[in-house]
Amino acid sequence: EAGVAQSPRYKIIEKRQSVAFWCNPISGHATLYWYQQILGQGPKLLIQFQNNGVVDDSQLPKDRFSAERLKGVDSTLKIQPAKLEDSAVYLCASSPPTGGTDTQYFGPGTRLTVL
Amino acid sequence: GESVGLHLPTLSVQEGDNSIINCAYSNSASDYFIWYKQESGKGPQFIIDIRSNMDKRQGQRVTVLLNKTVKHLSLQIAATQPGDSAVYFCAENYGGATNKLIFGTGTLLAVQP
């Protein structure tokens, strides 16, 4: 079974520029998550989708971050404008639609460097 | 590859020895716990999980122990191999409909040949 796909793998931008990341979850997984992982720390949840609806975006900096999952499959995460402190790895994960506590499977991440 | 281990607690073991990685979790209401392994430049990889109605679960070369009294989780790796070198995270699930995971700080396991 194919895993979670993410692109690009690396991105370098100047502060105040915009950037977008793409995620394709494991086939059939209804729940999709975006995490931010700052170097030396554990992943922190930014937003969680169930199909195309938002379940939890309480830790998403909504003044600059946005995410969508229009057709309930692929998802994009956008940062506009980027700040230096946004430098991190952005991880996408998915879990199956069985409800309750389900194992989350992670993609390889996109490493963002903001200069 | 670059390291995700900066500023992390480090456990250094000899190849073939057993490793024990510890984790303290925060929420006494958490009912599901997972250990993830993260190699440099990769996303976290599921290792083993345990639910709060258990205190021990075994997998292939790995065992997870849960002590709910002191909110402590441990991961034991038997006969540690160089391929086990990575950062290990514990994660707790607060339960409910959102399946939200809260990750710990992580421990860097360095296996010496």
Side-chain angles (χ1 to χ4, degrees):
Chain A
E1 153 179 284
V4 176
Q6 290 188 248
S7 68
R9 291 296 316 278
Y10 304 92
K11 190 73 177 179
I12 300 174
I13 61 172
E14 303 273 342
K15 60 183 179 183
R16 291 187 290 274
Q17 286 187 323
S18 301
V19 65
F21 313 126
W22 174 82
C23 172
N24 182 245
I26 293 172
S27 179
H29 281 195
T31 310
L32 185 147
Y33 314 79
W34 283 102
Y35 288 84
Q36 180 191 59
Q37 185 175 26
I38 294 173
L39 191 62
Q41 299 181 16
K44 182 186 81 171
L45 180 69
L46 292 175
I47 189 168
Q48 176 183 343
F49 291 94
Q50 178 77 20
N51 297 307
N52 61 352
V54 175
V55 175
D56 184 348
D57 63 356
S58 57
Q59 298 196 82
L60 186 74
K62 299 180 186 64
D63 58 334
R64 298 184 300 107
F65 286 64
S66 64
E68 60 183 14
R69 195 184 183 200
L70 294 176
K71 297 183 179 179
V73 180
D74 294 5
S75 177
T76 56
L77 176 69
K78 297 179 182 178
I79 307 175
Q80 179 180 12
K83 294 185 175 181
L84 295 177
E85 59 261 36
D86 298 332
S87 293
V89 174
Y90 290 85
L91 295 162
C92 180
S94 69
S95 63
T98 56
T101 51
D102 299 306
T103 301
Q104 296 181 26
Y105 298 90
F106 285 82
T110 297
R111 178 167 294 282
L112 174 66
T113 302
V114 182
L115 303 176
Chain B
E2 54 190 281
S3 170
V4 296
L6 296 179
H7 313 299
L8 292 174
T10 299
L11 175 65
S12 185
V13 300
Q14 291 294 125
E15 180 178 359
D17 286 352
N18 296 332
S19 303
I20 300 176
I21 301 171
N22 296 303
C23 174
Y25 63 92
S26 59
N27 191 334
S28 57
S30 294
D31 58 4
Y32 179 56
F33 305 89
I34 309 173
W35 280 100
Y36 284 93
K37 171 186 179 184
Q38 188 171 28
E39 296 174 277
S40 183
K42 297 183 179 180
Q45 175 189 359
F46 172 87
I47 302 175
I48 192 168
D49 59 3
I50 188 168
R51 299 194 182 272
S52 58
N53 61 353
M54 305 171 67
D55 53 21
K56 180 179 180 179
R57 190 165 188 219
Q58 289 184 291
Q60 186 177 11
R61 282 203 307 120
V62 295
T63 300
V64 55
L65 300 177
L66 174 63
N67 185 330
K68 294 182 288 292
T69 303
V70 294
K71 293 190 289 185
H72 183 268
L73 202 62
S74 68
L75 177 70
Q76 301 177 359
I77 304 174
T80 312
Q81 302 168 0
D84 295 327
S85 293
V87 177
Y88 289 80
F89 292 98
C90 67
E92 59 182 304
N93 187 308
Y94 281 8
T98 63
N99 198 30
K100 182 174 183 175
L101 288 181
I102 304 297
F103 282 80
T105 304
T107 297
L108 174 62
L109 176 64
V111 182
Q112 310 300 323

